[in-house]
Structures are given as C-alpha cells and as structure tokens.
Amino acid sequence: MSLGEKAMSESMVPEGWREVATPPSLFRRFQFDSYRDTRAFLERLAGLSKETGLYPDLGFGTTHVNVTVYGADGRAPGANEIDFASRAAALAVP
Amino acid sequence: MSLGEKAMSESMVPEGWREVATPPSLFRRFQFDSYRDTRAFLERLAGLSKETGLYPDLGFGTTHVNVTVYGADGRAPGANEIDFASRAAALAVP
C-alpha cells in the first residue's frame, strides 16, 4: 500500500482540521476579519487546487470559508488530501 | 410598509428558487458543465454583491454552486433579495 492509498489515522489529521466519517473527508472552518480577506483566501485556494488537482467543496459567506476535502473515490483522505489541508491552512494567514 | 420591507409571498419567489423558512432565505442550486463555468459564475456573483451590497452564503464544488440569500436582520427575504435572486439566476447562463 503506497502512502497515497494509505487510510488516514488520527495522528495524521492536520491540526485544526476535523476528520469526518461520512462522507470520508477533512473539514475546517476559517474565519476572517473582512470580505476582502475571505476573497483573497478563496483565490489562493483556487491556485492550490489548480496546482494539486484537488478541488474541495467550499462554503463561504462574507467572513468565513468552510473547506471540505474529500478522499479520492470515496476513500478516507490520504497523503495528498492531508498535504492539501496543511497547505490550505498556511494560505489562510493574511 | 414599503416594498423593501414587505414579507415575501409564495407568488414572489423567483422561478427555480426555494423559499426556506429557517433561517428565512431563498435557496437555489446551480449546475455547470465545467469548473471554469463555475468560477465565472462566482466572479459574476461577486460583482453583483458589490453592486447591491447583498452577500449570500455560497457553497461550491467543481460543477455546482449553492446560493442562499438571507433576508435582512432575520426577516423573510424582501424585494431586494428577490431582485438579487432573479439577477443571480440570469448570471448563471453561460
């Protein structure tokens, strides 16, 4: 089993993210001070998606963004998704 | 009671939208053929929000956008929100 196929263990969940069982995914809510910051984060996420080929479900209002990263083909999030989550969190810093 | 404050009646719900009771809002899911079309719609919605000052909650994946337009101050959607919904739907045409 390659790292990419490996199921996620508790210890692998990036800090601040919540592991969701059904459907298998990683979830995190990001809060921002302004709509401008919210939009900037969404733009950065779009760039990360383009680079990685991973497209999470995104929900947003003026000052928050909810990110749900699904595992591939209904499986638990693997190394790629965990890496995406970590990098996404880094992009949320203004 | 001005038009802006008037509560929404069934007949006022724009075609294709669903009136949600709690919290009072208008909801519609838009489906697209591509991520490119999805992003283009989101950009147009951002422009409409800037123009109108109405910022709906938006949820999206690669080929869909869920739009929830809340009434002001927890009230039922009024003329402004109904107008926003109608104009948003027009922006979804590729």
Side-chain angles (χ1 to χ4, degrees):
Chain A
M1 182 181 268
S2 77
L3 187 60
E5 293 167 339
K6 194 175 172 185
M8 183 171 51
S9 69
E10 277 299 329
S11 61
M12 293 172 71
V13 177
E15 195 182 328
W17 292 77
R18 183 158 56 83
E19 189 176 358
V20 179
T22 312
S25 54
L26 291 169
F27 174 85
R28 183 164 173 180
R29 182 183 179 92
F30 294 92
Q31 202 73 37
F32 298 94
D33 289 336
S34 68
Y35 179 62
R36 186 195 186 91
D37 287 348
T38 299
R39 297 279 307 175
F41 178 57
L42 288 168
E43 281 303 312
R44 292 185 207 116
L45 278 185
L48 183 59
S49 286
K50 194 173 179 182
E51 182 192 330
T52 60
L54 290 182
Y55 292 82
D57 265 15
L58 298 170
F60 68 100
T62 47
T63 56
H64 77 273
V65 179
N66 290 327
V67 183
T68 305
V69 185
Y70 297 105
D73 304 319
R75 294 194 305 271
N80 289 343
E81 289 78 19
I82 290 167
D83 181 58
F84 183 96
S86 296
R87 294 182 63 186
L91 296 177
V93 181
Chain B
M1 181 180 269
S2 77
L3 187 61
E5 293 166 339
K6 193 175 171 185
M8 185 169 51
S9 68
E10 278 299 331
S11 62
M12 293 172 72
V13 178
E15 196 182 328
W17 292 78
R18 182 157 56 83
E19 189 177 359
V20 178
T22 313
S25 53
L26 290 170
F27 174 85
R28 184 165 172 179
R29 182 183 179 92
F30 294 92
Q31 202 74 37
F32 298 95
D33 288 336
S34 68
Y35 178 62
R36 186 194 186 90
D37 287 348
T38 298
R39 296 279 307 175
F41 179 56
L42 288 168
E43 280 304 314
R44 291 187 210 114
L45 279 185
L48 183 59
S49 285
K50 193 172 181 183
E51 182 192 330
T52 61
L54 290 181
Y55 293 82
D57 265 16
L58 298 170
F60 68 99
T62 47
T63 57
H64 77 273
V65 179
N66 290 328
V67 183
T68 304
V69 185
Y70 297 104
D73 304 320
R75 295 194 304 270
N80 289 343
E81 288 78 20
I82 290 167
D83 181 59
F84 183 96
S86 297
R87 293 181 65 185
L91 297 177
V93 180

